[in-house]
Amino acid sequence: MRAITQRTLGSPEVLTVVEVPEPRPLPTEVLVRVKAIGLNPLEARLRAGEFPLLGQPPFTLGWDISGVVEQTPGTWRFRPGDEVFGMPLFPRAANAYAEVVSAPALHLARKPTSLSHVEAAALPIVGLTAWQGLVDLGGVSEGDRVLVHGGGGGVGHVAIQIAKALGAYVITTASGSKRQFVEGLGADEVIDYTRADFAEEVRGIDVVLDTIGGDTAERSLDVLRPGGHLVTAVAEEDAALATTYEAAGMRFSGIAVDPDPVALRGLVALVEQGRLRVHVQGTFPFERVADAHRLLDEGHLQGKLVLTP
């Protein structure tokens, strides 16, 4: 079995392919032969040592997987041969940059037949973040006005589609080069942040989903209706910002994504209804993981990047 392991902090060149024993699934876990691995900016930040979520290196990165079940000891949820996808164990180490992964059965769902393994691997973290932010925390319903910051990115491009499926009127910020892309996802209005200030362009927003951070979350206060709700995926621990929102009579929620079988099945339902698709900007073989991480470091991705073992 191969795994991509970080030996020291620093540039992507330290990511190497090593031989490690195959994991043994515990009761209620399944062993998955991985066909594709979704990459996320979080993994580049972990590799760079920005915060010690996984402790000190060496460690194996990755959470998003799609593959085929090989072993199912002690669980009835899947059988060998089932095609599954999911985000196991987050935020604990899932060791997903590998050919074989042991994962809790509850953290997986059957892969929609309309998605390739590459597309399915790109969906879990961004899809669950958007779902939990808009459905579980935001409570978005038909007729709501929703502002999605960073609509061309991983979470953002899925969030636009989920909000539209919920019946919302969706406004998004994106660069001009991504206008056609986000309009194709269903965005009703697009604000080119390189040319206009969203805080001067919109008002009366019910829910803001922030995937950008920085001063974007703070400046979003002015666009909300009275009692409106900011949901942020990047400033979830900003206590001062939460106090500012609450003092203004607004709601503030931070989303730290969790494995969620209910939400995962909700994403599957939207995919099967033709109301949700995931965009993959690029696919890289294991041997080019360093190139994939360089692209992650550059930012401004359109959709997701995926590794194939």
Side-chain angles (χ1 to χ4, degrees), residues 110-127:
R110 285 179 172 79
K111 181 183 73 66
T113 57
S114 61
L115 293 185
S116 66
H117 282 294
V118 166
E119 292 167 325
L123 182 56
I125 281 184
V126 296

Side-chain angles (χ1 to χ4, degrees), residues 1-4 17-23 31-37 60-61 65-70 94-102 285-287 307-309:
M1 170 188 167
R2 296 180 300 169
I4 305 300
V17 179
V18 299
E19 294 293 331
V20 298
E22 287 197 356
L31 199 66
V32 179
R33 177 66 58 178
V34 176
K35 299 297 184 181
I37 305 150
T60 303
L61 294 167
I65 61 169
S66 183
V68 179
V69 173
E70 286 200 344
N95 304 319
Y97 284 24
E99 290 180 335
V100 181
V101 169
S102 182
F286 251 28
E287 292 74 14
L307 287 177
T308 54

Side-chain angles (χ1 to χ4, degrees), residues 129-130 132-134 137-140 147 149 207-211 217 224 229-234 245 251-255:
T129 300
Q132 292 169 9
L134 294 173
L137 285 173
V140 173
L147 172 61
H149 286 302
V207 178
V208 173
L209 180 65
D210 171 34
T211 73
L224 287 168
H229 194 171
L230 171 77
V231 179
T232 176
V234 286
Y245 268 76
R251 297 176 62 195
F252 176 97
S253 295
I255 174 67

Side-chain angles (χ1 to χ4, degrees), residues 272-308:
E272 291 176 337
Q273 294 164 12
R275 306 173 82 178
L276 176 62
R277 58 187 174 90
V278 61
H279 178 76
V280 177
Q281 176 174 319
T283 305
F284 295 80
F286 251 28
E287 292 74 14
R288 292 186 58 207
V289 64
D291 293 333
H293 270 251
R294 291 188 192 98
L295 198 52
L296 277 178
D297 288 341
E298 292 175 7
H300 305 290
L301 294 176
Q302 185 166 293
K304 295 291 297 295
L305 301 178
V306 176
L307 287 177
T308 54

Side-chain angles (χ1 to χ4, degrees), residues 22-43:
E22 287 197 356
R24 293 183 178 180
L26 300 171
T28 75
E29 291 188 342
V30 298
L31 199 66
V32 179
R33 177 66 58 178
V34 176
K35 299 297 184 181
I37 305 150
L39 301 187
N40 295 281
L42 170 65
E43 290 148 33

Side-chain angles (χ1 to χ4, degrees), residues 42 53 63-64 85-92 94 104 106-108 123-133 136-137 155 232-233 236-237 254-267:
L42 170 65
L53 183 63
W63 285 275
D64 283 346
F85 78 115
M87 181 196 73
L89 297 171
F90 189 88
R92 291 181 291 137
L106 276 173
H107 294 179
L108 302 170
L123 182 56
I125 281 184
V126 296
L128 291 174
T129 300
W131 182 284
Q132 292 169 9
D136 298 334
L137 285 173
V155 175
T232 176
E236 66 273 12
E237 297 183 357
I255 174 67
V257 66
D258 294 320
D260 184 342
V262 175
L264 203 56
R265 290 194 295 271
L267 294 172

Side-chain angles (χ1 to χ4, degrees), residues 4 6 8 21 25 33 46 55 69 71 82 145 191 206 221-222 229-230 235 255 259 309:
I4 305 300
Q6 178 182 345
T8 59
R33 177 66 58 178
L46 288 171
V69 173
Q71 297 179 27
D82 286 345
R145 288 169 56 83
I191 300 171
D206 295 286
L221 181 64
D222 294 332
H229 194 171
L230 171 77
I255 174 67

